[in-house]
């Protein structure tokens, strides 16, 4: 009896906490259907008067589809580049007979603590000299460089957990190193790559400081910079529109997350992550 | 066998692109910062070298120590409260039915995938003193005296921002713990139960030692993550009122960009990176039994 | 083994070369103006060549999008009309809420836009670097200067670095209030500061928030609240700050800061005022949740359209040195407006573009019923009653004091002024502390150097 009760209490606790985690979604949706004035009178309750014009208003005032396309290009480019380069480096560090592998991983991990804001001006000057400014690749490369550290660290952990027999077998079959890597190792760590893909996607989609400073043409702006324009402004009081803008901006991450969360979980449960 | 694969060319081909990318776009832009930290620079142009004056100024400014204090509070909150709490959540989750488990797992990472701006704005609305959710709930349950002006009261503001930050990542931590738990073979527990060990003993003797890797990883990630906290502070209070809620990185940003003391801001950055390196060294030294590469 | 070393050394070399090249250019950018100029003139030549080959002149325009007005000027006035005036020009637009940060990056890299919206908080270093064009000779030549009614307001140290419609120079801080709330609580409009405090107390007791004004980041105290608290005791002191003739240890300033603390302590600003954003503060007033609203008059047209019982009263005086009918603070700064890059490859067109933007700015503010210094040739629209009252009062004042925040403080000083100002609104920060903390910063102010 006592056991049942405690189980029930735990259940309630978990459900309440779980609901708090999806509360932001409710909050944004709710805002996006409210009138300008209702937000202040009735902040968290359901709209008394449902307004559907906020979405078209956002689409009008905000170059949504252009920004969306840009965000997609940056994000996909970033994920592909980071995963490719990161997995190769991680493989080299963990599986190859490289004298400097320990040094390399310590070196890469410095990237976790470097604040983007500090290096942004030299980065800007560099991109200009390389004539990469206002090109898609000109933002993908620095974003990928900053995402690389966490990617390499996590993939290294995965690679380390794999048995040596994998390569031995490949060797006996006559594969060279490149075939071994791309045909055997990469498929084996697919769950890890899926996890990284989802994490990198979220990171790249929500990335702000680099895109804000490095992209100077409106035609190349991603969604986050567009969204920031709704917040930073002085004098904008219409939270309904802000809510709609937030929903439209977050939608892709939510979808990717819902599609990918099962994969993340499987990957993590595979237990490979930190062995 | 690895020797067969590890020719110098192959090592070069595998390692070079990553190292080049990282070096060129992350490490290399640090060099000018290091140089600027020795200059009197307003963000537009330099007016000459001043030696280590910027560093002396930083150490002498009370804001440096205040922002360090705030950062330490948040780091402590994340290590002493969030990590144990998410670990307990993971343990509790294990006892539940699959329906509850699925719901909780699916929702847990949700805040972490949204942009910080969205989350921080939501918390501003929650903390709003007059119609915000928190004070409304407190009033509704008769705890009127507990209501505060959360984001302007100097006693609560850091904790209020810290809570928002930690809440965003608690579910992610929980999920990592949980998947770690799942990878521990059941037979270990069965053996322990036969020996007459209770659930608490099982946790201490079996779960925690076997989860060592997960714990270490999360420890490093949460410590460094909370050290670098910036966006929450910016969106929620602009570091204020009067700068009492600034973290080190916010103070860095404030100095480099808002008051246009770019040279001093770079000095902050150098100090910050060194602090982080020291902290990771300490974790590696004292927490890890063998050296971990996080 | 040795090959690895070789690989590593090759990498190191590449890194070194990379770093040297960028370091070199960095020091060129930052240390000596001469090499900088050479580099730039070379660039301009490059650009010129490009232009001759390509046909349309390309200009880069960086505008401010920090508020709705600025966004509308860009989207509804500049963008649709620029083709009619400058058909041969192709414009690359960039709108940002934070022009200062963008300009820092552009200035450091020597890649400035041809035209940008300059601001008092960051213009000085750009001017000192010789990058912001003195527009006066060009404006005299093409007669554009003649379109301004108040030419003095354009000059900064004898030169014209930025042009705007001049609407700024007519904006001033007012205390707006709900007539109905005052009437239903039997409140008379206060004329002295002590009466004002009593009014606030009465409203607090009636359960109504007395004042709404944005405190987040120290917006209101930074830009006008502290200045007006000084002016109501002795307007001369505010003028002395603008002229660099006093410091913040002046007892009048301490009293002024103390007035804000006093109001904060009785709860006049409402809960959480020190973190109240601009938008929510306005909405508190519009939705009758606050009885008064302290704000610049650029909000007046919108308020008059949305608040049926709107009125404003003059700042209550704290001593007889202040005559509310004769003294007023105005917003403007000669450094705020459209500025031109002095090394622009297409200087003529860039100047024309700046002049065009300024004119659009004027057309916009004219359409909202604001007074402007720029003569568009249009008939002034009929003003609504409160707007008219505001204009009449403003035109009858004899002492107009510039906003010292925009006209006497360098970037650091201005930022700290707002930052510490926000503290005053929390009520648990004393005026003495403010004076002690801020005077240190003020003494290092570089604005007047």
């Amino acid at each position: 009896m006592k056991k049942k009760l405690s189980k029930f209490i735990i259940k309630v606790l978990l459900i309440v906490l779980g609901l708090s985690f999806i509360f932001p979604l409710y909050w944004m949706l709710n805002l996006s259907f409210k009138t300008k004035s209702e937000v202040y009178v009735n902040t968290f309750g359901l709209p008394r008067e449902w307004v559907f014009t906020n979405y078209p208003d956002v689409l009008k005032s905000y170059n949504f589809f252009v920004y969306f396309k840009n965000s997609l290009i940056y994000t996909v480019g970033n994920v592909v580049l980071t995963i490719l380069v990161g997995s190769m480096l991680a493989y080299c560090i963990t599986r190859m007979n490289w004298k400097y592998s320990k040094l390399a991983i310590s070196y890469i991990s410095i990237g976790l603590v470097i604040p983007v804001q500090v290096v942004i001006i030299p980065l800007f000057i560099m991109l200009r000299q390389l004539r990469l400014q206002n090109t898609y690749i000109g933002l993908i490369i620095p974003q990928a460089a900053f995402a690389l550290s966490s990617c390499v660290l996590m993939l290294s952990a995965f690679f380390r957990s794999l048995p040596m027999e994998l390569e031995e077998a490949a060797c006996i079959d006559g594969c060279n190193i490149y075939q071994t890597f791309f045909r055997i190792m990469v498929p084996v760590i697919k769950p890890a790559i899926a996890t990284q893909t989802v994490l990198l996607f979220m990171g790249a989609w929500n990335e702000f400081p680099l895109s804000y400073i490095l992209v100077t043409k409106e035609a190349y702006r991603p969604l986050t910079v567009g969204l920031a324009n709704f917040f930073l402004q002085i004098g904008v009081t219409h939270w309904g529109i802000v809510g709609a803008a937030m929903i439209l901006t977050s939608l892709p991450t939510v979808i990717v997350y819902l599609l990918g969360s099962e994969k993340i979980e499987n990957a993590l449960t595979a237990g490979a992550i930190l062995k | 066998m690895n020797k067969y694969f590890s020719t110098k060319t192959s090592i070069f081909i595998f390692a070079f692109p990553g190292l080049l990318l990282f070096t060129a776009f992350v490490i290399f832009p640090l060099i000018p910062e290091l140089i600027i930290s020795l200059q009197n620079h307003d963000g537009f142009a330099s007016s000459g070298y001043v030696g280590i004056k910027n560093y002396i100024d930083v150490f002498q400014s009370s804001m440096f120590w205040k922002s360090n204090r705030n950062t330490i509070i948040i780091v402590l909150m994340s290590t002493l409260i969030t990590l144990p709490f998410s670990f307990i959540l993971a343990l509790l989750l294990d006892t539940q039915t699959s329906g509850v488990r699925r719901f909780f797992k699916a929702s847990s990472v949700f805040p972490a995938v949204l942009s910080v701006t969205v989350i921080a704005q939501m918390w501003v609305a929650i903390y709003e003193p007059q119609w915000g959710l928190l004070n409304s709930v407190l009033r509704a349950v008769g705890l009127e005296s507990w209501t505060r002006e959360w984001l302007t009261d100097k006693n609560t503001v850091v904790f209020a921002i810290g809570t928002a930050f930690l809440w965003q990542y608690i579910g992610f931590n929980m999920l990592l713990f949980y998947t770690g738990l799942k990878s521990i073979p059941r037979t270990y527990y069965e053996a322990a139960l036969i020996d007459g060990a209770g659930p608490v003993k099982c946790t201490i003797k079996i779960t925690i030692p076997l989860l060592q890797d997960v714990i270490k990883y999360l420890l490093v990630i949460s410590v460094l993550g909370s050290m670098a906290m910036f966006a929450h502070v910016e969106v929620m209070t602009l570091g204020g009122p009067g700068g009492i809620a600034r973290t080190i990185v916010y103070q860095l940003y404030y100095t480099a960009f808002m008051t246009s003391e770019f040279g001093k801001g770079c000095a902050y950055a150098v100090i910050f990176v060194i602090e982080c390196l020291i902290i990771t060294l300490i974790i590696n030294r004292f927490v890890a039994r063998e050296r971990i590469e996080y | 083994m040795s090959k690895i070393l070789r690989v590593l050394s090759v990498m190191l070399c590449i890194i070194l070369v990379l770093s040297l090249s960028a370091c070199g250019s960095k020091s060129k950018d930052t240390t000596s103006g001469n090499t900088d100029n050479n580099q730039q003139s070379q660039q301009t030549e490059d650009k010129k060549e490009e232009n001759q080959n390509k046909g349309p002149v390309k200009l880069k325009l960086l505008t401010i999008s920090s508020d709705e007005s600025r966004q509308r000027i860009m989207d509804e006035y500049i963008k649709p009309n620029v083709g009619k005036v400058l058909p041969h020009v192709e414009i690359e637009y960039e709108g940002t809420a934070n022009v200062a940060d963008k300009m820092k990056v552009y200035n450091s890299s020597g890649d400035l836009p041809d035209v940008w919206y300059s601001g008092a908080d960051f213009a000085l270093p750009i001017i000192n670097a010789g990058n912001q064009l003195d527009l006066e000779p060009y404006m005299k030549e093409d007669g554009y200067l003649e379109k301004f009614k108040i030419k003095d307001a354009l000059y900064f140290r004898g030169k014209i670095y930025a042009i705007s419609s001049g609407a700024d120079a007519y904006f001033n801080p007012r205390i707006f209030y709900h007539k109905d709330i005052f009437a239903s609580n039997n409140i008379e409009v206060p004329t002295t500061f002590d009466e004002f405090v009593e009014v606030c107390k009465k409203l607090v007791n009636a359960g109504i928030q007395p004042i709404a004004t944005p405190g987040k980041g120290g917006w209101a105290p930074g830009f006008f609240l502290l200045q007006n608290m000084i002016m109501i005791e002795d307007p001369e002191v505010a003028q002395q700050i603008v002229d660099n003739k006093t410091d913040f240890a002046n007892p009048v300033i301490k009293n002024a800061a103390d007035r804000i603390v006093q109001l904060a302590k009785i709860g006049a600003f409402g809960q959480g005022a020190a973190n109240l954003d601009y938008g929510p503060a306005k909405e508190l007033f519009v939705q009758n949740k606050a009885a008064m609203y302290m704000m610049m008059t650029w909000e007046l047209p919108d308020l008059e359209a949305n608040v049926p019982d709107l009125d404003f009263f003059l700042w209550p005086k704290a001593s007889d040195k202040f005559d509310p009918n004769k003294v007023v603070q105005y917003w403007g700064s000669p450094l705020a407006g459209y500025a031109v890059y002095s090394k622009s490859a297409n200087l003529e067109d860039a100047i024309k573009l700046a002049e065009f933007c300024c004119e659009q700015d004027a057309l916009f503010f004219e359409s909202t019923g604001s007074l402007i210094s720029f003569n568009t040739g249009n008939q002034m629209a009929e003003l609504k009653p409160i707007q008219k009252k505001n204009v009449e009062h403003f035109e009858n004042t004899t002492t107009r004091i510039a906003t010292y925040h925009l006209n006497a403080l360098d970037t650091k000083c201005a930022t700290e002024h707002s930052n510490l100002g926000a503290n005053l609104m929390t009520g648990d920060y004393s005026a003495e502390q403010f004076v002690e903390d801020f005077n240190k910063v003020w003494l290092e102010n570089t604005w007047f150097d």
Side-chain angles (χ1 to χ4, degrees):
Chain A
M1 186 58 213
K2 209 176 141 197
K3 218 170 189 180
K4 255 192 180 164
L5 186 71
S6 70
K7 201 170 173 180
F8 178 74
I9 292 173
I10 292 168
K11 191 173 178 173
V12 171
L13 177 85
L14 289 177
I15 290 177
V16 168
L17 203 60
L19 286 176
S20 93
F21 291 142
I22 46 175
F23 184 69
L25 190 65
Y26 163 78
W27 177 70
M28 290 188 290
L29 273 173
N30 185 5
L31 275 185
S32 71
F33 293 112
K34 279 182 179 164
T35 59
K36 185 175 177 179
S37 52
E38 199 187 327
V39 176
Y40 294 91
V41 195
N42 169 25
T43 319
F44 293 99
L46 283 172
R48 286 175 204 144
E49 179 193 341
W50 290 76
V51 189
F52 296 96
T53 51
N54 289 336
Y55 287 91
D57 283 353
V58 167
L59 294 179
K60 237 186 342 193
S61 67
Y62 171 46
N63 235 336
F64 182 79
F65 294 103
V66 175
Y67 293 175
F68 184 89
K69 182 195 79 185
N70 293 340
S71 273
L72 209 60
I73 294 173
Y74 292 131
T75 307
V76 171
N78 181 343
V79 170
V80 171
L81 182 63
T82 316
I83 294 274
L84 179 71
V85 172
S87 61
M88 285 168 73
L89 183 55
Y91 181 75
C92 181
I93 285 171
T94 49
R95 311 289 291 187
M96 288 173 132
N97 201 1
W98 188 23
K99 199 182 162 197
Y100 299 101
S101 61
K102 280 220 158 138
L103 191 69
I105 200 157
S106 304
Y107 177 67
I108 283 285
S109 52
I110 300 175
L112 285 179
V113 299
I114 293 178
V116 176
Q117 286 86 2
V118 214
V119 294
I120 206 127
I121 291 181
L123 211 52
F124 182 89
I125 295 170
M126 213 160 95
L127 287 173
R128 201 171 141 263
Q129 285 169 341
L130 296 171
R131 297 197 174 267
L132 286 177
Q133 205 183 27
N134 287 324
T135 58
Y136 289 115
I137 199 82
L139 185 60
I140 290 172
I141 289 180
Q143 281 189 343
F146 273 90
L148 197 64
S149 299
S150 63
C151 174
V152 169
L153 294 176
M154 192 164 176
L155 291 182
S156 300
F158 273 89
F159 274 125
R160 216 173 285 135
S161 70
L162 299 177
M164 280 299 162
E165 288 81 30
L166 277 174
E167 276 125 324
E168 282 165 16
C171 181
I172 291 161
D173 287 350
C175 289
N176 65 25
I177 174 79
Y178 311 105
Q179 288 165 327
T180 312
F181 179 72
F182 287 106
R183 296 226 185 111
I184 297 169
M185 299 308 282
V186 169
V188 168
I189 59 153
K190 230 162 103 188
I193 290 187
T195 313
Q196 264 305 312
T197 305
V198 174
L199 292 179
L200 285 170
F201 188 94
M202 309 299 174
W205 191 270
N206 291 326
E207 201 280 330
F208 178 72
L210 282 173
S211 354
Y212 177 64
I213 296 289
L214 297 183
V215 178
T216 65
K217 270 192 195 171
E218 270 175 33
Y220 286 92
R221 274 186 181 169
L223 275 176
T224 38
V225 177
L227 180 67
N229 268 353
F230 281 91
F231 281 119
L232 290 174
Q233 284 158 356
I234 271 182
V236 168
T237 51
H238 200 324
W239 277 91
I241 285 192
V242 170
M246 289 193 294
I247 283 284
L248 289 172
T249 311
S250 320
L251 214 53
T253 43
V254 174
I255 291 169
V256 168
Y257 170 68
L258 290 178
L259 292 177
S261 69
E262 198 93 322
K263 279 237 169 64
I264 296 192
E265 204 189 295
N266 291 342
L268 295 176
T269 334
I273 171 170
L274 302 154
K275 287 283 165 93
Chain B
M1 206 48 59
N2 273 338
K3 278 199 179 133
Y4 165 74
F5 282 138
S6 308
T7 63
K8 279 94 204 176
T9 334
S10 62
I11 288 179
F12 178 80
I13 288 175
F14 273 81
F16 184 71
L19 290 180
L20 178 71
L21 182 70
F22 182 73
T23 308
F25 290 94
V26 180
I27 300 298
F28 163 65
L30 279 178
I31 300 168
E33 301 307 305
L34 210 63
I35 298 168
I36 292 172
S37 76
L38 302 171
Q39 295 175 341
N40 188 4
H41 195 296
D42 64 4
F44 290 95
S46 165
S47 47
Y49 283 88
V50 291
I52 57 163
K53 180 177 174 294
N54 286 329
Y55 290 89
I56 294 170
D57 283 353
V58 167
F59 285 117
Q60 281 177 348
S61 93
S62 63
M63 271 329 292
F64 172 73
W65 301 106
K66 246 188 228 171
S67 62
N68 263 294
R69 200 203 59 164
N70 291 341
T71 311
I72 289 169
I73 289 176
I74 288 171
V75 169
L76 289 181
M77 278 172 84
S78 79
T79 47
L80 299 183
I81 299 173
T82 319
L83 284 185
F85 185 61
S86 38
F87 180 64
I88 291 168
L89 277 181
L91 288 176
L92 293 180
L93 189 62
D94 211 17
T95 66
Q96 291 297 312
T97 53
S98 69
V100 178
R101 278 209 298 264
R102 277 188 62 186
F103 165 72
F104 195 69
K105 278 190 292 184
S107 63
S108 61
V109 191
F110 192 72
V113 309
L114 290 177
S115 95
V116 173
T117 320
V118 170
I119 295 293
Q121 286 290 354
M122 184 190 83
W123 280 91
V124 171
I126 289 177
Y127 286 133
E128 205 289 327
Q130 295 179 56
W131 61 76
L133 193 63
L134 184 54
N135 278 358
S136 308
V137 169
L138 287 175
R139 277 186 213 114
V141 297
L143 291 170
E144 182 84 41
S145 60
W146 288 24
T147 59
R148 291 276 181 290
E149 296 175 34
W150 301 100
L151 292 177
T152 47
D153 187 329
K154 63 181 173 202
N155 300 315
T156 57
V157 59
V158 177
F159 295 97
I161 297 174
T163 306
F165 174 71
L166 300 174
W167 167 86
Q168 195 178 353
Y169 299 105
I170 211 166
F172 185 73
N173 293 347
M174 191 281 308
L175 197 63
L176 279 182
F177 275 129
Y178 180 74
T179 49
L181 281 180
K182 287 277 112 184
S183 67
I184 297 173
R186 288 274 142 186
T187 47
Y188 287 23
Y189 292 106
E190 281 154 18
L193 282 175
I194 290 166
D195 289 349
V200 177
K201 203 168 179 193
C202 276
T203 309
I204 295 171
K205 293 274 177 190
I206 302 173
T207 319
I208 292 181
L210 285 175
L211 282 185
Q212 220 197 76
D213 285 325
V214 184
I215 294 170
K216 277 183 242 164
Y217 175 82
L218 280 176
L219 193 60
V220 174
I221 291 287
S222 3
V223 168
L224 293 183
S226 19
M227 283 294 287
M229 188 176 96
F230 164 75
H232 293 78
V233 184
E234 192 195 19
V235 178
M236 289 173 75
T237 69
L238 289 171
I244 54 173
R246 285 183 207 154
T247 56
I248 307 175
V249 179
Y250 190 86
Q251 176 64 19
L252 181 169
Y253 170 80
Y254 181 85
T255 315
F257 289 97
M258 293 179 73
T259 63
S260 268
E261 297 164 285
F262 198 69
K264 212 195 268 182
C266 289
Y268 266 109
V270 172
I271 294 169
F272 173 73
V273 171
I274 291 173
E275 280 182 29
C276 288
L277 292 178
I278 292 174
I279 287 175
T280 35
L281 269 179
I282 291 174
I283 295 177
N284 275 328
R285 179 102 199 190
F286 294 102
V287 181
R289 271 204 302 215
E290 72 261 43
R291 194 179 173 285
I292 50 154
E293 288 105 15
Y294 38 88
Chain C
M1 215 331 256
S2 62
K3 264 200 187 167
I4 297 174
L5 271 179
R6 222 177 299 157
V7 168
L8 273 176
S9 55
V10 168
M11 264 181 62
L12 236 131
C13 280
I14 295 173
I15 292 163
L16 261 173
V17 169
L18 259 173
S19 62
L20 277 179
S21 68
C23 269
S25 64
K26 180 86 196 165
S27 56
K28 251 186 246 161
D29 280 350
T30 49
T31 48
S32 77
N34 273 336
T35 44
D36 201 27
N37 283 349
N38 287 341
Q39 208 185 0
Q40 248 136 24
S41 63
Q42 215 175 343
Q43 274 166 14
T44 12
E45 271 162 36
D46 288 351
K47 271 191 199 164
K48 261 181 197 156
E49 261 171 51
E50 262 173 49
N51 288 330
Q52 275 160 3
N53 298 337
K54 279 185 187 164
V57 175
K58 280 190 179 170
L59 290 180
K60 208 179 152 195
L61 171 63
L62 175 65
T63 58
I64 184 166
S65 62
S66 61
D67 56 73
E68 267 171 356
S69 307
R70 291 282 154 215
Q71 264 191 340
R72 287 185 54 197
I73 293 171
M74 182 72 168
D75 294 338
E76 295 168 25
Y77 286 79
I78 295 178
K79 276 185 184 172
N81 296 321
V82 71
K84 294 173 203 159
V85 184
L86 298 162
H88 60 293
V89 173
E90 192 180 299
I91 294 172
E92 188 188 298
Y93 298 98
E94 189 184 4
T96 175
N98 190 341
V99 182
D101 278 4
K102 281 274 173 182
M103 286 306 292
K104 264 173 215 165
V105 178
Y106 292 149
N107 195 67
S108 310
S109 67
D111 184 23
L112 286 86
D114 300 282
V115 176
W116 70 90
Y117 196 88
S118 165
D121 52 335
F122 60 91
L124 271 184
I126 303 179
I127 292 173
N128 291 341
N131 286 335
Q132 200 159 334
L133 184 73
D134 172 16
L135 292 160
E136 193 201 15
Y138 303 92
M139 288 169 66
K140 273 191 172 154
E141 200 185 304
D142 63 12
Y144 195 79
L145 191 57
E146 290 313 308
K147 296 189 179 183
F148 289 89
K149 286 176 232 162
I150 311 170
K151 297 183 185 63
D152 283 350
L154 292 168
Y155 285 89
F156 176 77
R157 297 179 188 166
K159 287 176 175 162
I160 300 177
Y161 290 110
I163 47 173
S164 72
S165 61
D168 278 4
Y170 292 95
F171 291 136
N172 64 92
R174 295 285 190 210
I175 305 176
F176 298 101
Y177 72 104
H178 285 288
K179 279 191 282 196
D180 292 353
I181 296 182
F182 270 42
S184 61
N185 289 284
N186 291 322
I187 294 170
E188 296 281 319
V189 167
T191 55
T192 68
F193 184 74
D194 291 335
E195 285 172 24
F196 183 72
V197 172
E198 287 311 310
V199 167
C200 291
K201 280 186 185 159
K202 214 167 167 181
L203 285 164
V204 169
N205 289 336
I208 301 164
Q209 175 173 338
I211 307 165
T213 198
K216 192 172 185 179
W219 201 91
F223 285 119
F224 67 84
L225 194 52
L226 186 58
Q227 173 156 359
N228 275 277
M229 290 298 163
I230 294 169
M231 282 163 52
I232 61 174
E233 182 174 336
D234 187 357
E236 189 54 34
V237 174
Q239 188 59 49
Q240 283 169 357
I241 299 173
V242 178
D243 299 335
N244 196 22
K245 285 186 181 137
T246 181
D247 62 27
F248 275 71
N250 191 319
V252 175
I253 296 174
K254 205 209 86 187
N255 295 342
D258 204 38
R259 274 179 213 114
I260 299 179
V261 177
Q262 196 186 340
L263 289 173
K265 278 200 170 139
I266 60 170
F269 298 116
Q271 285 188 312
N275 200 40
L276 187 63
D277 252 323
Y278 188 100
K282 179 178 167 189
E283 216 52 33
L284 273 175
F285 177 71
V286 172
Q287 303 205 15
N288 292 338
K289 289 194 166 179
M292 291 176 270
Y293 178 44
M294 291 176 167
M295 184 40 66
M296 303 296 298
T297 48
W298 58 62
E299 291 291 353
L300 177 53
D302 196 45
L303 288 177
E304 193 158 15
N306 292 306
V307 181
D309 63 335
L310 180 78
D311 201 355
F312 69 84
F313 59 87
L314 306 175
W315 288 83
K317 54 185 178 183
S319 91
D320 287 334
K321 286 182 189 163
F322 175 67
D323 179 355
N325 286 307
K326 295 288 167 217
V327 184
V328 75
Q329 174 197 349
Y330 71 91
W331 178 261
S333 150
L335 295 177
Y338 295 94
V340 175
Y341 180 34
S342 55
K343 292 150 197 157
S344 166
N346 302 292
L347 203 56
E348 293 289 313
D349 287 312
I351 293 166
K352 279 203 195 106
L353 178 62
E355 290 178 350
F356 167 78
C357 290
C358 171
E359 197 167 339
Q360 299 303 310
D361 187 273
L363 290 170
F364 170 81
F365 282 109
E366 200 175 52
S367 76
T368 66
S370 301
L371 281 185
I372 49 175
S373 155
F374 188 88
N375 187 1
T376 57
N378 296 341
Q379 201 68 37
M380 185 76 197
E382 185 65 29
L383 290 178
K384 289 187 178 162
I386 311 288
Q387 277 181 303
K388 207 166 174 180
K389 179 179 161 189
N390 172 51
V391 167
E392 276 165 8
H393 172 265
F394 188 85
E395 288 186 330
N396 284 330
T397 52
T398 48
T399 310
R400 295 177 193 163
I401 301 174
T403 304
Y404 71 72
H405 190 96
L406 301 171
N407 290 282
L409 309 184
D410 67 10
T411 313
K412 180 179 182 183
C413 220
T415 311
E416 288 293 349
H417 182 255
S418 301
N419 178 42
L420 297 170
N423 261 344
L424 291 173
M425 285 180 79
T426 61
D428 53 8
Y429 180 75
S430 70
E432 287 81 9
Q433 193 64 40
F434 173 81
V435 168
E436 190 190 325
D437 289 347
F438 185 67
N439 204 36
K440 269 186 256 167
V441 185
W442 166 260
L443 294 174
E444 288 168 13
N445 186 13
T446 59
W447 179 274
F448 298 98
D449 291 352

